[in-house]
Amino acid sequence: LASVNNTDGRTSPDTNLTIKTKSSAPSSSPGNVTQTSKTATSISISWSAVPILDTNGPLKSYDVSYGLAGMTLTYLRPTAERVVITGLTYNTVYNVRVAAVTSAGTGPFSAPISATTLQDVPAPPTIFTVIPSATSLSLFLSVTPGHFRI
């Protein structure tokens, strides 16, 4: 039990007190950042919350950064502990990291994870030339690079 002295006098020891401190940026990053699903043009990422003692105030959102290694990162600001990143390139590896945000600022980012999109369905080939003979047919095709296996 506690009592407090103020300009109006002393509170009784059984009075409930609410003490608020100023928020600050979170002091640790979200954990368990994981790729949970993928398509040829999207990746789904989830993570666990910052430990409550490290939030340093109410969490407002998260900063999710993603991009190719050595490239400028793009940022998203989801409010839940998951995000679907869309508009990506097929069969590509992206680096993804997550930070928690309070009204006072952004905490440290998690270690980056590598998240990969699926390979795309190949486009149909374009037939340029057909050369018939008595016993065979020769086709000359054009295919999109990276979309096929021989």
Side-chain angles (χ1 to χ4, degrees), residues 4 9 35 66 89 91 116 126 132 146:
V4 176
Q35 179 176 354
Y66 67 95
T89 303
N91 200 30
T116 307
T126 303

Side-chain angles (χ1 to χ4, degrees), residues 106-131:
T106 303
F109 276 92
S110 64
I113 65 159
S114 294
T116 307
T117 54
L118 292 175
Q119 185 170 358
D120 201 3
V121 175
T126 303
I127 301 174
F128 281 110
T129 307
V130 178
I131 302 174

Side-chain angles (χ1 to χ4, degrees), residues 28-34 45-48 50 62-65 73 95-100 106-114:
S28 67
S29 61
N32 302 317
V33 179
T34 307
I45 305 293
S46 67
W47 55 90
S48 58
V50 171
Y62 294 91
D63 272 353
V64 177
S65 71
L73 299 177
N95 292 325
V96 181
R97 45 190 205 140
V98 181
T106 303
F109 276 92
S110 64
I113 65 159
S114 294

Side-chain angles (χ1 to χ4, degrees), residues 37-116:
S37 66
K38 59 187 170 180
T39 70
T41 59
S42 70
I43 52 178
S44 297
I45 305 293
S46 67
W47 55 90
S48 58
V50 171
I52 192 70
L53 293 176
D54 294 343
T55 59
N56 302 324
L59 292 181
K60 301 290 184 186
S61 62
Y62 294 91
D63 272 353
V64 177
S65 71
Y66 67 95
L68 304 173
M71 302 282 288
T72 302
L73 299 177
T74 301
Y75 289 88
L76 299 175
R77 190 161 267 192
T79 55
E81 291 155 358
R82 64 189 176 285
V83 68
V84 178
I85 303 170
T86 60
L88 304 178
T89 303
Y90 69 91
N91 200 30
T92 302
V93 178
Y94 292 88
N95 292 325
V96 181
R97 45 190 205 140
V98 181
V101 179
T102 65
S103 60
T106 303
F109 276 92
S110 64
I113 65 159
S114 294
T116 307

Side-chain angles (χ1 to χ4, degrees), residues 1-47:
L1 296 178
S3 64
V4 176
N5 290 326
N6 61 29
T7 57
D8 296 328
R10 184 181 181 128
T11 65
S12 65
D14 62 348
T15 301
N16 289 329
L17 300 175
T18 301
I19 300 171
K20 291 186 177 185
T21 59
K22 285 188 167 188
S23 292
S24 60
S27 52
S28 67
S29 61
N32 302 317
V33 179
T34 307
Q35 179 176 354
T36 55
S37 66
K38 59 187 170 180
T39 70
T41 59
S42 70
I43 52 178
S44 297
I45 305 293
S46 67
W47 55 90

